Amino acid sequence: MQIRNIAIIAHVDHGKTTLVDKILHATHVFRSNQETGELIMDSNDLERERGITIFSKNASVTYKDVKINVIDTPGHADFGGEVERVLKMADGVILLVDAFEGPMPQTRFVLQKALQLNLKPIVVINKVDKPNCRPDEVHDAVFELFFNLDASEEQLNFPTFYGSGKNGWFNSSLTPCEDITPLLDGILQYVPEPKISEGTLQMQITSLDYSSFLGRIAVGKVTRGSIKENEPISLVMADGTVKKSRVRELYVFEGMGKKKVTEVLSGDICAVVGLEDFNIGDTIADFENPEALPVIKVDEPTMNMTFGINNSPFFGKDGKFVTSRHLRDRLIKETEKNLALRVEDTESGDTFMVYGRGILHLGILIETMRREGFELTVGQPRVIVKLIDGKKAEPYENLVVDVPQEFASKVIDLVTRRKGEMHVMETKGDIQHLEFEIPSRGLIGLRTQMLTNTQGEAVMAHRFTEYKAWKGAIPGRNNGVLLAKDNGTTTGYSLDKLQDRGFFFVDPGEEVYKGMIIGENNKPGDLVVNSNEGKKLTNMRASGTDAATNIAPKTVLTLEECMEYIQQDECIEVTPHFIRMRKSILDEDERKRVQKSMKAEEV
């Protein structure tokens, strides 16, 4: 049977997962009466809630007696580690681009990886049914992007399809047709069959699956030879050591699931059960003459955070897993399948340093852990600083902002204050397209401020470019915070009296503790307030005076917003049902003592 392996790459929200849904339906993977819902491939709860793909996944369909392995990849640069290894399994890529927005920075990031691996591209311009879309301009922009990324002559001669994933049609021209068969025919025509080289077995493990029944499962593409059930094999590790092992069971992908087989020939993607202690990037090779494939290199992390046990007064009230042993085991387990993540021990046995690709990357890990029942404390995200030629260097990012013209000056002002430099300014219809180069530090806390200043209209995206010279201090949060004075329950009476001091992150009737951040001060500097005071009751009553507290509703921050909000001496307490911000040192006198000693050291 002929095989085609194709990865689908696109920026967040350009309709990648919807396209996969249409391919699955068009090739009759499901029974005609089967309920499938939307976004079939985004199986993880977090993916469905946020509407983004985080983990790459495989599905397989059969069209005109050709097996097409479809690989859905994440669109976020923060999940770059996920994308790079997945592309190793593909022989061609579908680059999906929105007919209005055109190619975005993260499309560029993934496309660059695909072109370097010499994959054959097919361009699909999606959402041509949207008002003010501009498919012809977008096609030119895509060609320019290919050219800028040093695509070969053959890659520049890419086929283009237009259509609407939502309405279920794709065609080689802008004329609507009935379904997506022109695109499926295009995949068979333009994507090459897997290259099969002569020789003994070689298969690189490019992703992991886990089953509580079968244990860890290795997934990858057989690049040479064939692999059989029950066959003895060699596992060549990244450091060159060779372990002997045996294949217990073999599966290939079929539809959304897997099918057990006895042999897989080269060119197909399969899942291998029965191997012990393997890592992503290892090679499954011939038992007697093992030959390793080149090790997968993943981009370095650019940000780190401290993860520690929850040591607040509310410790253990909400979560199941609260000890440092639980925390350590969970983080180590995550590094096995999350390649761009690194974990290191610190001097304290209760805290760990976790390195990741960005705030979203680390935020997804924290969110996943809290849903599993963990309680933890996380510190402020910091960029990783390196010494290059004896000089201090920090990571820089390419930041792209699309915003209505009336807000463009506010955006430019915001970004330049954070040491960003503007490189491109173009007008697209009534939208201003701005591109900046900015230190990664400048992005922390930028999104919230930008949405506030542009009435929620700004669309921003960024990707890591390189390490460059340190840019100096960047102004952080201007205002101080309101801190709870004592443990207890907040009352409407005291919050009402404190409203002129700032705005609150808590409502009346919430449990708070000493040193917890309950609001933002209107002025610089922190303020300790008594939020738990009840009204002194007398036997004189005036009708209606007790009910006359008009308190503004609390401001609710998401986990990522909290990570961007906190300063160096603050941290976030994360439990399954609560996200609270607090000072790292809860006692006010102790905090002042530490600040004094730090100032004395600086002098």
Side-chain angles (χ1 to χ4, degrees):
M1 192 183 201
Q2 287 191 331
I3 294 172
R4 299 284 188 278
N5 297 320
I6 189 147
I8 300 186
I9 58 179
H11 184 76
V12 183
D13 261 0
H14 279 197
K16 191 166 42 222
T17 306
T18 308
L19 171 64
V20 178
D21 288 0
K22 294 296 180 241
I23 293 175
L24 293 169
H25 282 297
T27 49
H28 308 296
V29 166
F30 306 105
R31 298 189 311 275
S32 53
N33 61 350
Q34 189 173 346
E35 282 290 317
T36 56
E38 297 278 299
L39 306 179
I40 305 159
M41 292 284 268
D42 282 352
S43 49
N44 175 295
D45 287 346
L46 263 176
E47 294 183 307
R48 285 179 167 274
E49 280 170 32
R50 290 167 183 250
I52 60 172
T53 302
I54 298 168
F55 309 104
S56 66
K57 297 171 213 59
N58 298 43
S60 162
V61 300
T62 306
Y63 177 70
K64 293 189 176 172
D65 291 334
V66 178
K67 179 178 181 181
I68 304 174
N69 285 315
V70 181
I71 307 157
D72 187 9
T73 64
H76 250 287
D78 277 21
F79 306 110
E82 194 75 16
V83 175
E84 277 172 68
R85 9 176 264 253
V86 171
L87 291 177
K88 290 262 186 178
M89 293 196 272
D91 300 295
V93 290
I94 290 181
L95 173 67
L96 193 67
V97 185
D98 185 300
F100 172 68
E101 292 183 351
M104 298 287 277
Q106 284 150 353
T107 322
R108 180 193 178 101
F109 169 81
V110 191
L111 181 63
Q112 193 170 10
K113 305 281 181 205
L115 294 178
Q116 284 165 357
L117 290 168
N118 212 10
L119 302 181
K120 178 77 180 145
I122 295 176
V123 173
V124 176
I125 294 177
N126 190 16
K127 306 191 183 181
V128 296
D129 55 326
K130 276 170 76 173
N132 36 346
C133 66
R134 31 189 204 103
D136 295 334
E137 282 178 50
V138 167
H139 181 270
D140 295 345
V142 172
F143 184 83
E144 208 170 295
L145 176 63
F146 272 77
F147 185 74
N148 293 341
L149 293 174
D150 297 331
S152 65
E153 196 69 36
E154 192 189 353
Q155 287 171 328
L156 279 172
N157 195 10
F158 55 81
T160 308
F161 290 85
Y162 301 88
S164 160
K166 197 174 171 188
N167 298 338
W169 66 270
F170 284 101
N171 203 350
S172 52
S173 66
L174 278 164
T175 326
C177 57
E178 294 197 350
D179 52 19
I180 67 165
T181 43
L183 176 61
L184 292 169
D185 290 331
I187 292 175
L188 301 194
Q189 183 184 342
Y190 297 111
V191 177
E193 284 194 57
K195 289 190 193 75
I196 294 170
S197 41
E198 292 298 310
T200 54
L201 164 67
Q202 271 188 327
M203 168 184 157
Q204 189 154 44
I205 300 170
T206 44
S207 63
L208 298 181
D209 211 344
Y210 184 79
S211 139
S212 47
F213 179 59
L214 298 167
R216 288 172 78 212
I217 302 168
V219 178
K221 181 170 95 173
V222 182
T223 44
R224 205 170 76 179
S226 68
I227 184 166
K228 299 185 182 71
E229 190 179 32
N230 235 352
E231 169 183 39
I233 50 110
S234 298
L235 187 64
V236 187
M237 316 292 273
D239 58 4
T241 51
V242 178
K243 279 190 192 166
K244 303 298 182 188
S245 190
R246 187 179 286 275
V247 176
R248 221 171 58 220
E249 287 177 10
L250 268 182
Y251 293 85
V252 291
F253 292 90
E254 188 175 74
M256 292 296 298
K258 297 189 187 81
K259 180 176 84 169
K260 193 172 178 196
V261 289
T262 52
E263 182 178 19
V264 178
L265 300 174
S266 62
D268 205 351
I269 295 172
C270 68
V272 181
V273 176
L275 308 182
E276 297 289 320
D277 300 331
F278 61 84
N279 288 310
I280 286 174
D282 295 350
T283 306
I284 296 174
D286 185 63
F287 186 73
E288 277 157 10
N289 307 314
E291 290 175 48
L293 285 160
V295 177
I296 299 175
K297 184 182 162 295
V298 173
D299 283 356
E300 289 288 297
T302 56
M303 218 165 244
N304 63 13
M305 283 175 87
T306 52
F307 279 50
I309 58 167
N310 181 10
N311 53 8
S312 83
F314 294 168
F315 156 81
K317 282 189 176 180
D318 196 28
K320 284 192 294 191
F321 306 112
V322 292
T323 65
S324 56
R325 186 177 60 82
H326 284 138
L327 189 61
R328 184 199 172 90
D329 292 351
R330 177 67 182 82
L331 289 172
I332 298 299
K333 186 177 154 202
E334 184 69 25
T335 56
E336 288 181 352
K337 61 177 189 293
N338 193 336
L339 271 201
L341 197 80
R342 286 213 316 269
V343 177
E344 286 177 8
D345 290 327
T346 60
E347 291 166 7
S348 155
D350 293 341
T351 53
F352 307 93
M353 189 61 83
V354 180
Y355 298 83
R357 292 275 303 157
I359 283 195
L360 185 68
H361 185 207
L362 293 164
I364 294 287
L365 168 64
I366 298 167
E367 185 65 49
T368 311
M369 286 173 67
R370 104 179 239 235
R371 288 176 185 220
E372 290 170 6
F374 282 85
E375 278 194 18
L376 62 153
T377 305
V378 294
Q380 185 191 23
R382 296 198 194 106
V383 299
I384 298 169
V385 179
K386 292 182 176 177
L387 277 177
I388 298 176
D389 301 333
K391 290 183 181 160
K392 197 171 170 188
E394 62 176 329
Y396 276 69
E397 311 232 357
N398 172 351
L399 169 70
V400 175
V401 185
D402 285 322
V403 68
Q405 287 184 354
E406 67 262 32
F407 299 122
S409 58
K410 286 186 176 175
V411 170
I412 295 166
D413 179 48
L414 256 180
V415 178
T416 44
R417 261 192 276 155
R418 289 165 167 264
K419 302 279 196 272
E421 286 176 17
M422 187 162 71
H423 287 193
V424 177
M425 184 174 185
E426 293 170 350
T427 307
K428 293 183 179 176
D430 54 352
I431 296 283
Q432 199 76 32
H433 174 82
L434 308 166
E435 288 191 27
F436 303 89
E437 183 182 63
I438 183 171
S440 298
R441 285 179 301 145
L443 289 169
I444 298 175
L446 179 65
R447 186 181 297 273
T448 325
Q449 280 192 325
M450 191 171 287
L451 290 175
T452 311
N453 285 348
T454 60
Q455 298 175 11
E457 295 269 353
V459 177
M460 69 182 256
H462 54 87
R463 66 181 181 88
F464 168 70
T465 49
E466 59 182 325
Y467 268 83
K468 288 168 87 173
W470 179 264
K471 263 270 178 112
I474 290 178
R477 189 180 73 204
N478 294 329
N479 293 4
V481 288
L482 302 175
L483 300 166
K485 186 180 177 187
D486 291 307
N487 300 0
T489 308
T490 55
T491 62
Y493 173 73
S494 52
L495 291 188
D496 184 35
K497 294 268 183 289
L498 293 166
Q499 281 194 97
D500 56 347
R501 294 291 189 187
F503 60 86
F504 288 96
F505 303 137
V506 290
D507 275 335
E510 283 193 34
E511 291 280 319
V512 296
Y513 53 78
K514 187 177 183 175
M516 178 172 149
I517 297 173
I518 58 169
E520 182 175 300
N521 193 355
N522 284 337
K523 298 175 183 167
D526 298 339
L527 189 65
V528 177
V529 296
N530 183 357
S531 57
N532 313 344
E533 192 184 0
K535 185 169 184 185
K536 300 289 180 286
L537 300 180
T538 66
N539 51 8
M540 293 291 287
R541 276 281 175 270
S543 65
T545 49
D546 279 4
T549 53
N550 294 323
I551 301 172
K554 69 175 179 182
T555 304
V556 181
L557 298 182
T558 63
L559 178 62
E560 271 98 19
E561 284 169 346
C562 288
M563 285 160 70
E564 293 181 343
Y565 185 82
I566 59 171
Q567 299 293 307
Q568 203 169 347
D569 64 336
E570 296 162 0
C571 56
I572 310 167
E573 174 191 353
V574 182
T575 72
H577 296 101
F578 298 99
I579 295 174
R580 304 181 181 98
M581 293 185 285
R582 46 165 280 201
K583 288 288 182 188
S584 302
I585 301 168
L586 295 177
D587 187 72
E588 190 186 358
D589 300 332
E590 178 72 17
R591 259 199 318 277
K592 284 178 180 167
R593 250 199 316 277
V594 170
Q595 279 169 355
K596 264 186 192 165
S597 64
M598 281 168 74
K599 277 179 188 166
E601 278 173 25
E602 282 171 18
V603 172

